Amino acid sequence: MEVVRVDYLVIGSGVAGLRAAIGLASEGSVYVITKDELKESSTEYAQGGIAVALSDEDTIGIHFEDTIKAGDGLCDEDAVRVLVNEGPERIMELISWGAEFDRSGTKLAFTMEAAHSRRRILHAQGDSTGREIERVLINKARNMPVIRKYSFAYVLDLIIIDGLCYGAYVLKDGQVEAILAQATVLATGGAGQVYLRTTNPAVATGDGIAAAFRAGAVIEDMEFVQFHPTSLFAPLAPQFLLSEALRGEGAILRNIHKEEFIRNYHPEGELAARDIVSRAIVSEMQRTKSRHVYLDITHLDADYIKKRFPRIYRTCLKYDIDITTELIPVCPAAHYLMGGVKTDTAGRTSIPGLFAAGEVACTGVHGANRLASNSLLEGLVFGARAAAEAVNSRISPMEVSPSDLTLPLSGDRIEDADEIRQAIRKAMWENAGIIRSSKSLSTALETINKWDHVLDKTYSTRYDNEIKNMLQTSYLIVTSALKRQESVGAHYRNDSPPEPHIP
Ligand SMILES: Cc1cc2nc3c(=O)[nH]c(=O)nc-3n(C[C@H](O)[C@H](O)[C@H](O)COP(=O)(O)OP(=O)(O)OC[C@H]3O[C@@H](n4cnc5c(N)ncnc54)[C@H](O)[C@@H]3O)c2cc1C
């Protein structure tokens, strides 16, 4: 096996991984490993924006309170404090590196999103915020020669010896390489692909969580999956996200009969929190025996829509839906994983030598439910923190000899791989999705357990290893959801609905 030695290893090239790599670059050589092309990540597709307390009407304290409220009592208050306090500095730094957020005249333009009590969402080119952030971070990293980018390289597992993490085994062009590092930052993003309907890109298969779990890291809060209420529902179209900001700007939800319905479920209507809106849509779809509802923005000025939502307008038009004149068919979809590899506020996991940041990590910032647009900020703030701490607590891989390094690849392919993948995604969507119960979760677990033999091997293709990791991650979500018997935040069990709030 080829052995590569580097000072720092970063796994993933979204906002968290790139920000960590930039932080590490002044301290030594950095490898950024990513399984697809560099920009392919959830970050690249993030639309609505990034939350930060920088507007005249806002304060750090109010951002703190809104985040805590969304987390439904389960946020780690120290982590939230770090996020809201350090957010403005990280954003100003990004602007100094060339990020162009939309402005109104010379001032930054802030928009509103559900569950925020102030206008605090920065956006870029209307609805391409993530793309702008990814562009700026890639450019910055390109100008730092110590950062080496290793694309289409797939991390199979972490290198763990005597309880310490010394790097990762990587599959590249069919061969396994061992990359040894003094510190490893895991930034592999989320796991939306375990659900049949998801806004996440194909790379989001939970690899980092599964690898950390196999390595013995503490994994936390996996039952908390946020579902986005509105993804495009059209036979030939991808499950493209229709940003919350559409509802923020006045878009109306209508059922299959084109009737408004959301206020029958919640007095805040279209601007109620994400999980409330998602559950209302699912209930309305069940009531009207339909597979989707509609989002209607036709009452707004067409030129304004095209200017404010250029990417959404163009994408829908590609699938023959002119959102300025037609209703958009939508359905909820898995969007964001609040849980993940447990870290402290410095990005330390339970394994020395291993750090985690971004969606793969569970800092406790989001509690039981994420406040919209806090995740890009989390990637920036905790990516930078994980880098700083990684420098402080390096371990020495000098003693690791090549004979300590083994990862036998199975020559087998997973039999019926496509069928297994589809069956997991269907079982998770139908039984461990927006509305769950002990019975439905047990059904999901039965399906997952049918293939537990798949977990025993490491395969020679990315596709097969992704299926293994999807199984592992699904298992973690379902078993955590079974354990948490009460409904809280995004985890809603209809066999234990939340107590009604009595004013
Ligand atoms: C459509 C969409 C819209 C969103 N809109 C917003 C928004 O408006 N505001 C907001 O705050 N958040 C938004 N989010 C959420 C936010 O984009 C993500 O939470 C955030 O970008 C995650 O960043 P990350 O760096 O942790 O992971 P990602 O950006 O997903 O990056 C993960 C990286 O890890 C790599 N990787 C994964 N597994 C492996 C492996 N085995 N080996 C090597 N590399 C691997 C991937 O290729 C990728 O480069 C949105 C998400 C989606 C999907």
Side-chain angles (χ1 to χ4, degrees), residues 107-126:
K107 287 180 106 178
L108 288 167
F110 296 88
T111 192
M112 191 77 178
E113 275 184 356
H116 288 270
S117 61
R118 294 289 186 277
R119 294 181 78 89
R120 70 162 66 93
I121 320 296
L122 285 176
H123 43 92
Q125 292 142 45

Side-chain angles (χ1 to χ4, degrees), residues 263-295:
R263 278 180 202 278
N264 301 338
Y265 294 89
H266 200 275
E268 283 173 36
E270 272 75 7
L271 288 186
R274 259 180 200 174
D275 54 313
I276 293 171
V277 177
S278 294
R279 283 200 298 277
I281 293 175
V282 168
S283 304
E284 190 68 4
M285 278 162 38
Q286 282 167 354
R287 195 185 71 79
T288 55
K289 299 194 174 42
S290 57
R291 293 173 65 207
H292 66 84
V293 294
Y294 291 110
L295 195 60

Side-chain angles (χ1 to χ4, degrees), residues 408-454:
L409 280 192
S410 161
D412 302 342
R413 294 295 312 263
I414 298 178
E415 229 176 279
D416 303 329
D418 292 339
E419 287 76 6
I420 296 177
R421 188 172 179 280
Q422 193 63 3
I424 305 168
R425 301 180 79 218
K426 191 162 178 289
M428 290 298 288
W429 179 245
E430 289 174 357
N431 303 304
I434 297 168
I435 299 175
R436 305 133 175 217
S437 67
S438 167
K439 190 161 170 264
S440 73
L441 291 164
S442 304
T443 306
L445 191 58
E446 238 172 73
T447 308
I448 293 162
N449 281 342
K450 265 199 262 173
W451 295 294
D452 57 0
H453 57 277
V454 166

Side-chain angles (χ1 to χ4, degrees), residues 122-440:
L122 285 176
H123 43 92
Q125 292 142 45
D127 52 8
S128 293
T129 314
R131 182 177 290 177
E132 175 64 2
I133 292 174
E134 189 72 8
R135 178 190 73 79
V136 169
L137 293 174
I138 288 178
N139 271 350
K140 179 82 181 162
R142 272 213 181 103
N143 291 327
M144 299 177 135
V146 289
I147 301 182
R148 179 157 176 221
K149 275 83 68 186
Y150 210 39
S151 311
F152 298 99
Y154 181 86
V155 168
L156 294 164
D157 261 318
L158 298 164
I159 299 174
I160 305 289
I161 301 169
D162 295 335
L164 304 185
C165 178
Y166 287 103
Y169 295 107
V170 176
L171 184 67
K172 170 95 175 152
D173 302 328
Q175 303 294 319
V176 181
E177 294 173 23
I179 307 205
L180 291 175
Q182 298 171 23
T184 301
V185 181
L186 194 61
T188 46
Q193 285 296 326
V194 305
Y195 287 95
L196 195 60
R197 292 203 56 83
T198 181
T199 61
N200 288 191
V203 290
T205 50
D207 297 345
I209 293 165
F213 179 72
R214 286 191 290 273
V218 175
I219 311 291
E220 199 174 56
D221 287 354
M222 292 294 285
E223 64 275 35
F224 298 120
V225 179
Q226 187 173 78
F227 294 84
H228 198 286
T230 53
S231 74
L232 182 60
F233 184 90
L236 299 174
Q239 295 170 28
F240 182 72
L241 176 85
L242 292 154
S243 164
E244 199 115 59
L246 283 162
R247 278 175 291 126
E249 297 282 351
I252 297 164
L253 282 161
R254 296 185 185 279
N255 67 15
I256 197 80
H257 307 301
K258 313 210 169 133
E259 300 153 345
E260 291 187 33
F261 62 88
I262 199 82
R263 278 180 202 278
N264 301 338
Y265 294 89
H266 200 275
E268 283 173 36
E270 272 75 7
L271 288 186
R274 259 180 200 174
D275 54 313
I276 293 171
V277 177
S278 294
R279 283 200 298 277
I281 293 175
V282 168
S283 304
E284 190 68 4
M285 278 162 38
Q286 282 167 354
R287 195 185 71 79
T288 55
K289 299 194 174 42
S290 57
R291 293 173 65 207
H292 66 84
V293 294
Y294 291 110
L295 195 60
D296 178 5
I297 198 160
T298 55
H299 50 289
L300 294 192
D301 177 68
D303 288 337
Y304 178 72
I305 295 174
K306 289 182 203 168
K307 189 161 167 264
R308 177 68 184 86
F309 302 108
R311 196 172 179 185
I312 294 176
Y313 172 73
R314 280 196 313 270
T315 306
C316 290
L317 204 56
K318 219 162 91 189
Y319 297 97
D320 289 334
I321 303 161
D322 180 346
I323 66 170
T324 64
T325 56
E326 289 170 276
L327 303 192
I328 318 166
V330 295
C331 172
H335 187 52
Y336 184 84
L337 181 60
M338 271 71 77
V341 184
K342 183 178 167 56
T343 68
D344 63 11
T345 53
R348 275 185 294 242
T349 70
S350 58
I351 301 181
L354 181 66
F355 302 80
E359 196 169 335
V360 70
C362 181
T363 56
V365 152
H366 308 297
N369 212 354
R370 174 187 69 130
L371 182 66
S373 289
N374 261 354
S375 41
L376 288 170
L377 191 68
E378 185 193 25
L380 280 180
V381 167
F382 289 92
R385 286 195 146 234
E389 187 54 34
V391 172
N392 282 337
S393 35
R394 282 168 294 176
I395 54 171
S396 170
M398 291 313 282
E399 313 83 73
V400 176
S401 86
S403 61
D404 295 328
L405 302 169
T406 50
L407 186 76
L409 280 192
S410 161
D412 302 342
R413 294 295 312 263
I414 298 178
E415 229 176 279
D416 303 329
D418 292 339
E419 287 76 6
I420 296 177
R421 188 172 179 280
Q422 193 63 3
I424 305 168
R425 301 180 79 218
K426 191 162 178 289
M428 290 298 288
W429 179 245
E430 289 174 357
N431 303 304
I434 297 168
I435 299 175
R436 305 133 175 217
S437 67
S438 167
K439 190 161 170 264
S440 73

